[in-house]
Amino acid sequence: MAVTETFPELPLFDLRLREQDLQAVAQTLRSGWLTMGPRTAAFEEAFAAQLGARHAIAVSSCTAALHLAYLAAGVGPGDEVIVPSFTFAATANAVLYCGATPVFAEIVSREQPYLDVEDVQRRITARTKAVCVVHYAGYPAAVDRLRDCCDARGVALIEDVAHAPSATLDGRKLGTWGLAGAFSFFSNKILSVGEGGLLCTDDDDVAALARSRRSHAMTSGTWDRHRGRTDTYDVVALGYNYRLDEPRAALLLSRLEGLEADIARRRELTLRYRELLAQVPGLIVPFADADVPGSSCYVMPVMLEREGTQSEVARLMREHGVQTSIFYPAVHRFSAYRARFPDVSLPISELASATELTLPLYPHMSEADQDRVVAALAQAVAT
Ligand SMILES: Cc1ncc(COP(=O)(O)O)c(C=O)c1O
């Protein structure tokens, strides 16, 4: 049965695979070996090299990488992990997987929508095991100051780098500032292959734990047994099935070659967006032009100055064929979180969530497409 998809005229994300990407997957399918094996290992090596990290461990999602990172930081029942609420739910969900408590901290402002270091400091207690920083939209958070703060208090720093492959702060890649970094290769991400993730670390013990737990903490894998390395195995801890598979590893390896060119184009488009959006009254455009070179420019967020207009502006843009999204509804306001943590109040995160709209951005977007998005936005905001 043929499956057809319908997309908006100007979608938020649009993925175009090159012929060589398709060939890499086809070759893998023909090889007859589909679960984690040599292509996964090759991708890990290439990813670690471009990142400048000692270890890269490919897993089934960024959520899985966050779970393993928290476990490696020793997070367990009774512990707390400080996270932003202005993020995707996975950052906090993975804390709950460990039986620990996410403690939500405030962002700096709508112009700088990342963790406020002073607020994090205030929320550190004897139970705090880790802080997880999110590099929202691909822009570096104040990870240098957070690291100093975490080091001073003996707390692990984890980076949720789902948005920020190859982004840097002071020339150092994001994901390499703390104990571990967690990347996403989900469908709408910069290095997308449908589903996938990766944990990076310089710490040998963290790497060993992640490698073991991603495959049920078995002492040997199916690929080892296939090559006759061993014909049995032990299970030495509680592990998970967080394995990546070979077709996606092959696609990642092939797409990694185009990563820097993709990001360079995203930066050009972002700077042009910023120039156009500066002419539109009623908007706050987070970050500054000077932040763009260090960012991977994953998405183009804007904040509407007027509260209460978000859904109407989104609706008017949809009428013009332009898809928008909200990055992100505050996690502590979701039903499942309100039920557990009814007293959390984070006014800046709540305001950001109630006024944010994410505009279409993808490397092959044309300048005419951008002009259309900005014209539709200007008209909708003025209505
Ligand atoms: C900030 C952030 N963290 C974590 C995730 C989870 O990634 P994944 O879907 O690969 O589990 C996402 C996106 O989906 C995200 O945007």
Side-chain angles (χ1 to χ4, degrees):
M1 192 182 79
V3 178
T4 52
E5 304 90 359
T6 48
F7 295 116
E9 275 173 70
L10 279 174
L12 258 192
F13 309 97
D14 191 28
L15 176 60
R16 284 225 184 128
L17 297 177
R18 302 164 304 170
E19 189 50 39
Q20 66 210 70
D21 301 328
L22 304 179
Q23 287 303 325
V25 177
Q27 249 175 35
T28 309
L29 294 174
R30 283 190 208 102
S31 79
W33 188 263
L34 300 187
T35 191
M36 194 169 72
R39 289 170 181 85
T40 305
F43 169 66
E44 290 175 340
E45 197 181 319
F47 198 87
Q50 67 84 31
L51 198 57
R54 253 172 90 74
H55 305 281
I57 296 112
V59 289
S60 51
S61 68
C62 176
T63 310
L66 285 168
H67 185 194
L68 295 176
Y70 293 150
L71 289 175
V75 175
D79 294 330
E80 294 175 352
V81 178
I82 299 177
V83 295
S85 176
F86 192 59
T87 179
F88 183 62
T91 319
N93 282 351
V95 178
L96 291 170
Y97 299 167
C98 301
T101 303
V103 172
F104 294 104
E106 192 54 289
I107 53 173
V108 178
S109 63
R110 287 196 287 174
E111 289 79 4
Q112 294 170 301
Y114 47 76
L115 273 182
D116 176 347
V117 181
E118 277 71 40
D119 195 52
V120 169
Q121 255 160 350
R122 281 192 289 275
R123 291 175 196 270
I124 293 178
T125 69
R127 286 192 294 277
T128 310
K129 265 277 160 51
V131 172
C132 183
V133 60
V134 175
H135 300 289
Y136 175 80
Y139 295 77
V143 73
D144 46 351
R145 292 176 54 222
L146 271 173
R147 192 173 64 173
D148 291 347
C149 156
C150 287
D151 286 352
R153 303 290 291 270
V155 165
L157 177 64
I158 308 294
E159 292 178 84
D160 179 336
V161 250
H163 299 181
S166 207
T168 55
L169 178 68
D170 297 338
R172 179 173 179 161
K173 290 265 165 74
L174 302 184
T176 66
W177 284 80
L179 183 68
F183 289 91
S184 176
F185 309 128
F186 176 64
S187 205
N188 66 16
K189 295 293 186 285
I190 293 179
L191 195 60
S192 53
V193 295
E195 303 286 351
L198 181 140
L199 180 147
C200 69
T201 183
D202 283 338
D203 186 302
D204 295 348
D205 294 336
V206 171
L209 183 142
R211 279 192 196 287
S212 162
R213 301 289 178 98
R214 75 173 159 181
S215 192
H216 290 292
M218 290 186 288
T219 49
S220 73
T222 315
W223 178 241
D224 295 320
R225 293 196 292 281
H226 180 70
R227 286 177 299 169
R229 294 247 165 118
T230 166
D231 50 15
T232 185
Y233 61 85
D234 190 13
V235 168
V236 294
L238 177 62
Y240 308 88
N241 179 352
Y242 284 166
R243 293 183 297 267
L244 191 71
D245 57 47
E246 291 288 275
R248 285 181 292 170
L251 187 54
L252 281 163
L253 201 49
S254 176
R255 295 210 63 216
L256 189 59
E257 285 171 23
L259 178 67
E260 293 307 328
D262 269 12
I263 292 175
R265 178 66 185 146
R266 285 170 177 278
R267 288 183 182 136
E268 278 173 19
L269 288 165
T270 299
L271 285 171
R272 187 164 184 277
Y273 253 140
R274 298 186 65 84
E275 214 177 296
L276 296 172
L277 291 167
Q279 312 303 318
V280 181
L283 292 182
I284 294 169
V285 183
F287 307 105
D289 289 1
D291 298 327
V292 171
S295 172
S296 50
C297 296
Y298 164 50
V299 285
M300 184 67 227
V302 296
M303 309 265 179
L304 306 170
E305 267 174 13
R306 261 195 308 146
E307 240 188 300
T309 57
Q310 188 186 44
S311 58
E312 181 59 7
V313 171
R315 189 188 67 76
L316 289 168
M317 292 192 66
R318 207 165 37 245
E319 274 183 7
H320 283 95
V322 180
Q323 186 191 9
T324 61
S325 182
I326 301 171
F327 276 60
Y328 288 100
V331 176
H332 72 279
R333 303 291 300 152
F334 284 129
S335 314
Y337 277 86
R338 270 211 317 266
R340 281 175 186 248
F341 310 103
D343 300 326
V344 177
S345 165
L346 298 165
I348 307 171
S349 300
E350 288 161 25
L351 181 63
S353 294
T355 54
E356 197 275 346
L357 280 182
T358 302
L359 307 179
L361 179 65
Y362 39 89
H364 54 276
M365 190 178 193
S366 69
E367 296 192 346
D369 291 341
Q370 273 195 306
D371 294 344
R372 244 185 85 188
V373 172
V374 176
L377 180 62
Q379 201 178 330
V381 173
T383 305

